[in-house]
Amino acid sequence: FTTAASGPITVTPGPGAQSLTILPSATLAAGIYSNASVTITSAIAPMQQTVPVTIIVDPPALQSQVLSLSAPGLTFSFTEGGAAGTQILTLSNAGGGTLNITTSTSTNSGGDWLSANCAQVALASGSPGLCTVTADPTKVIPDSMGSVAGTYSGQVTITTDVLGQQAVVPVTMTLTPLP
């Protein structure tokens, strides 16, 4: 048998002796197309048969949201009595749609010396958001000897509205004693 196609399709024989493969044009936009047909000619009656072909092209799948960070961790160094320092943590949505975030901070030692302020809580794809992370050595609780020198740890936790997506950014602050 032989085949001929009309409309936005191509037809090739196979797989198998009595099968056809019908492929839509790669340039078709999402939608329903009913302007295609396949004409089959054979040596057996009926000699020619035309079969209408309807093509349904689905829109491309939406890419899910993916949180991306500019740094895996942050480190601050101060001398006792030093002023607070800040670093910028850039958050972005490496996927599609909008990614909604919330941030929180916690410390493992030394009191409440760590904070984060994010200017943007909804991250559109390709539109980064900035978080100002602040370590304030003046908020460190002194030890029993009255010293604040030492290494302190904490974390910035970024939670998203996508199930299972959360990032924890470790933060280390080192305070050296006055000379």
Side-chain angles (χ1 to χ4, degrees):
F1 66 91
T2 60
T3 61
S6 68
I9 61 173
T10 57
V11 177
T12 56
Q18 296 185 4
S19 299
L20 298 175
T21 300
I22 300 172
L23 297 173
S25 169
T27 60
L28 290 178
I32 299 175
Y33 300 85
S34 56
N35 61 337
S37 65
V38 175
T39 301
I40 303 167
T41 305
S42 73
I44 325 172
M47 300 290 279
Q48 191 174 51
Q49 188 173 16
T50 300
V51 179
V53 176
T54 299
I55 303 164
I56 300 172
V57 179
D58 291 329
L62 291 176
Q63 188 178 8
S64 63
Q65 304 93 329
V66 178
L67 178 63
S68 178
L69 306 173
S70 62
L74 300 173
T75 303
F76 294 87
S77 296
F78 300 100
T79 302
E80 280 184 292
T86 61
Q87 292 185 37
I88 301 296
L89 181 63
T90 303
L91 310 177
S92 60
N93 176 3
T98 300
L99 185 64
N100 296 301
I101 59 140
T102 56
T103 56
S104 62
T105 58
S106 60
T107 59
N108 302 324
S109 58
D112 193 22
W113 53 267
L114 181 63
S115 64
N117 182 14
C118 296
Q120 190 172 349
V121 295
L123 302 173
S125 182
S127 179
L130 303 178
C131 288
T132 303
V133 179
T134 303
D136 189 346
T138 65
K139 293 186 176 182
V140 172
I141 299 170
D143 64 17
S144 60
M145 304 288 287
S147 174
V148 293
T151 299
Y152 301 91
S153 63
Q155 51 273 337
V156 177
T157 302
I158 299 129
T159 305
T160 74
D161 60 346
V162 174
L163 183 64
Q165 276 197 44
Q166 176 178 324
V168 177
V169 180
V171 179
T172 303
M173 178 177 68
T174 302
L175 286 173
T176 55
L178 289 170

